[in-house]
Amino acid sequence: MSSHKLCMIPGPIEFHEDVLQAMATPGTSHVGPTFIPVLGESIELLRQILFTSGQPFIIAGSGTLGWDMTACNLIEAGEDVLVCNSGYFGDRFGECLETYGAKATHLRVPIGESPDLAAVSAALKTKKFKAITITHVDTSTGVLSDIKGIADVVRRESPETLVVVDGVCSVGSEEIRMDAWGIDVVVTASQKALGAPPGLCVMGVSERAIQVFKNRKTPVANYYANWTRWLPIMNAYEARKPSYFATPAVQNIFALHVSLKQIVAQGIEKRFAVHKEASAKAKKFIHDLGLTLVPTSLDHAANGMSAVYYPEGVTATDLLPKLAAHGIVAAGGLHVEIAPKYFRIGHMGISVTEPERGHLDATLNALKASLVECGYKGAL
Amino acid sequence: MSSHKLCMIPGPIEFHEDVLQAMATPGTSHVGPTFIPVLGESIELLRQILFTSGQPFIIAGSGTLGWDMTACNLIEAGEDVLVCNSGYFGDRFGECLETYGAKATHLRVPIGESPDLAAVSAALKTKKFKAITITHVDTSTGVLSDIKGIADVVRRESPETLVVVDGVCSVGSEEIRMDAWGIDVVVTASQKALGAPPGLCVMGVSERAIQVFKNRKTPVANYYANWTRWLPIMNAYEARKPSYFATPAVQNIFALHVSLKQIVAQGIEKRFAVHKEASAKAKKFIHDLGLTLVPTSLDHAANGMSAVYYPEGVTATDLLPKLAAHGIVAAGGLHVEIAPKYFRIGHMGISVTEPERGHLDATLNALKASLVECGYKGAL
Ligand SMILES: Cc1ncc(COP(=O)(O)O)c(C=O)c1O
Ligand SMILES: Cc1ncc(COP(=O)(O)O)c(C=O)c1O
């Protein structure tokens, strides 16, 4: 364990000891009385965390599977979807939608910018969209989109359009209020600000979207991701009854359950605030080092991560190994157009909610030291 | 931990302490040097365990996702598939295939019987099948199918037909030799005789099947399960290079890796033999109690589990809670036509490879004691 480097990438993150301990739960029946309430309660906790009376899903897989679930259950072939595209994950979500026959119209913004409300409004006037997708935090750019503002625009311009949020890099670190803001779908995964190891696709779906699903005209063209199969299973676990479709990832769900309980116990409002504070601190430190963020304004920069351009003369091959030598794992660039030019650090979960662990300070200090080692003068 | 009951269902099973410890690995980057060789080596170990030079896949999900992967990557809409159906899982695999446009012809056998080679041969003469599926062990009946025999028949009658084995309840407990027997696809999952917690879909795909996939005429109608995405990822990890499509279940793969290493270290041939011995012992004990197995002959009874009819006067509501009180979790019936009439116990993995743990003895003794408590006289 002494060789463990801090995992300060924008997911997977560092996990609480109690969460890891739950991962080591011995073999347990997926339909027995030890596990049933754990999944049942996790579903209930997700409702609180997402501020929704809708339907959570917790399925073995990853965030990407949540795109398939959205595309195959809510969109029918030939329907139009407006993709607010603020980076890599918008491109990919669009590809996923098209795989299931949707027609994706991309509303692309320049790298580092966030979707503009007027542009969304204008796009919504061009045709009838079954859904709009928004990457809440595009992990490739660190851009935060204004999902509340966009949902408002949709309600005004095209109230029947389903509002779908890719919250893989935002649920648990950014404010989301599904019902109050009129958000129909939140796609996320366990490994980022929900604070549990990767392996779970996690979703919240509004009652309205569940009705749209139930009123489909064509069959769902997927087996594993089909809500027809999963809805009764989620309902059964919540009713504390055994049921089976496909074996849940029992240990991962034990772990998620521990993390969700911690999140609710600490208070979700406080969690938003703490992530904001930590992010402000990180971004000030980065600014004071003379570095530039990928997001063009702090107003639309994510609170759970920072995407930062290398200063002149420093490259990924220089900086990332030096950070690692200081015990910090950071991530390289992901957005294809600028990948070699920037790096990313995550500041989510226990690394910021429990500052006494010193993760963020260690990361920022290592960043400074590594830049100095790279010969960067601005850091002095 | 003292409250832990032995998980003696046909999966999830009891896991080794070292496997559970690996589940608790701290947060680790999915594209970093700690994890890359772990997934890379797991792919290599699977080749040894499945006796194939083909392509393994390890994907966050469950066994069911392997059906989707088979259906969406290898079958094109309108193609015929022959489903050797020996229980619940044949029905379900058939449904999955049809979801992707395949035409499933079910070769159903009476409950407790295994598919007959002559019937397979006759069915193959009726039309051209793109693939044949065989549930190696149908977990709902405990029936073991003769995959080697069936693969021989296919090679004789219809050599182009892909041989697909649902090995979810057999890989690691029953003999499988993919290349020597001419098996094109093995679908499995982590939580049974591969000895790691649920959360991973695991597959082995022959080089021939990969070619069939590459020569598809129509696009793959699934995003998360699309091998076009996953093949380069599996190849990259095996080449010890970073790559990303969807975040792998890092901790689950650390755990699977430990278990795969144990399996290979103990010797895979020995593993088959030990499962056979343990099964023979369990089945003799069950027979001596005067109970009847669901499989109509020991010749086609699985070695990793036993499906057993309740004796007259004993029901699920009587027996299963009594077994639980003795610290043993067993499973009820699953095959819809006989579900209330029988129960199932698993005897896979460390519960049989490390008999000094006493799991199987404890289970059999608890069974006897519970039957006595139920008033069953035959047990005396
Ligand atoms: C914004 C966003 N969407 C989707 C995904 C895909 O999730 P996963 O990698 O868990 O499949 C990610 C992963 O990092 C992400 O950051
Ligand atoms: C023979 C068989 N096939 C497929 C499956 C489905 O696997 P999973 O439950 O992991 O989705 C199972 C699960 O028990 C099985 O026993």
Side-chain angles (χ1 to χ4, degrees), chain A residues 35-262:
Chain A
F35 177 66
I36 289 174
V38 171
L39 178 45
E41 215 175 287
S42 299
I43 293 168
E44 292 159 1
L45 289 163
L46 273 175
R47 278 213 191 83
Q48 292 182 52
I49 291 169
L50 294 170
F51 295 94
T52 186
S53 59
Q55 181 62 53
F57 291 88
I58 304 172
I59 316 280
S62 77
T64 301
L65 179 66
W67 292 342
D68 286 72
M69 287 216 166
T70 303
C72 77
N73 289 294
L74 289 176
I75 317 295
E76 303 192 54
E79 290 178 335
D80 282 290
V81 178
L82 182 61
V83 177
C84 297
N85 187 322
S86 50
Y88 174 93
F89 290 99
D91 290 342
R92 293 285 168 276
F93 199 169
E95 284 175 14
C96 176
L97 288 160
E98 287 179 339
T99 300
Y100 292 93
K103 288 191 263 169
T105 302
H106 288 265
L107 185 68
R108 289 180 206 275
V109 294
I111 292 172
E113 309 237 323
S114 73
D116 175 68
L117 300 191
V120 171
S121 174
L124 286 173
K125 288 193 194 9
T126 61
K127 57 180 101 145
K128 174 114 195 118
F129 290 101
K130 175 69 170 282
I132 179 172
T133 72
I134 314 148
T135 315
H136 195 185
V137 170
D138 196 297
T139 320
S140 75
T141 56
V143 163
L144 176 69
S145 290
D146 177 9
I147 56 170
K148 178 170 187 286
I150 295 175
D152 278 346
V153 169
V154 175
R155 196 163 34 241
R156 265 201 319 272
E157 295 290 345
S158 178
E160 283 180 12
T161 299
L162 295 172
V163 178
V164 176
V165 170
D166 176 345
V168 174
C169 197
S170 69
V171 172
S173 60
E174 308 287 348
E175 188 176 1
I176 303 180
R177 297 175 192 276
M178 279 188 68
D179 292 359
W181 294 357
I183 291 165
D184 291 293
V185 177
V186 172
V187 172
T188 191
S190 47
Q191 75 269 17
K192 305 202 189 196
L194 285 181
L200 297 174
C201 165
V202 176
M203 297 188 74
V205 181
S206 72
E207 292 174 44
R208 178 172 89 138
I210 292 289
Q211 282 315 315
V212 168
F213 160 69
K214 287 187 173 163
N215 294 333
R216 286 179 68 89
K217 285 182 204 74
T218 55
V220 173
N222 187 310
Y223 190 73
Y224 183 69
N226 188 338
W227 288 347
T228 321
R229 309 274 169 190
W230 284 114
L231 252 180
I233 303 295
M234 293 298 123
N235 292 338
Y237 276 96
E238 205 173 346
R240 309 298 193 262
K241 291 196 182 121
S243 69
Y244 171 70
F245 166 56
T247 308
V250 172
Q251 277 68 9
N252 301 66
I253 293 172
F254 269 110
L256 179 70
H257 180 243
V258 169
S259 189
L260 297 180
K261 278 196 298 185
Q262 288 177 349

Side-chain angles (χ1 to χ4, degrees), chain A residues 244 246-247, chain B residues 62-64 67 89 135 137 139 166 168-169 189 191-192:
Chain A
Y244 171 70
T247 308
Chain B
S62 77
T64 302
W67 292 342
F89 290 99
T135 315
V137 169
T139 320
D166 176 345
V168 174
C169 196
Q191 75 269 15
K192 306 202 189 200

Side-chain angles (χ1 to χ4, degrees), chain B residues 84 95 125 195 205 209 255 285 299 328 330:
Chain B
C84 298
E95 285 177 11
K125 288 192 197 4
V205 182
F285 190 97
D299 292 344
I328 304 294

Side-chain angles (χ1 to χ4, degrees), chain B residues 71-125:
Chain B
C72 77
N73 289 294
L74 289 176
I75 316 295
E76 302 193 53
E79 289 178 337
D80 282 290
V81 178
L82 182 61
V83 176
C84 298
N85 187 321
S86 51
Y88 173 92
F89 290 99
D91 290 341
R92 293 287 167 274
F93 199 168
E95 285 177 11
C96 176
L97 289 160
E98 288 180 339
T99 299
Y100 292 93
K103 288 190 262 168
T105 303
H106 286 267
L107 185 68
R108 289 180 203 278
V109 294
I111 291 172
E113 311 236 323
S114 73
D116 176 67
L117 300 190
V120 171
S121 174
L124 287 172
K125 288 192 197 4

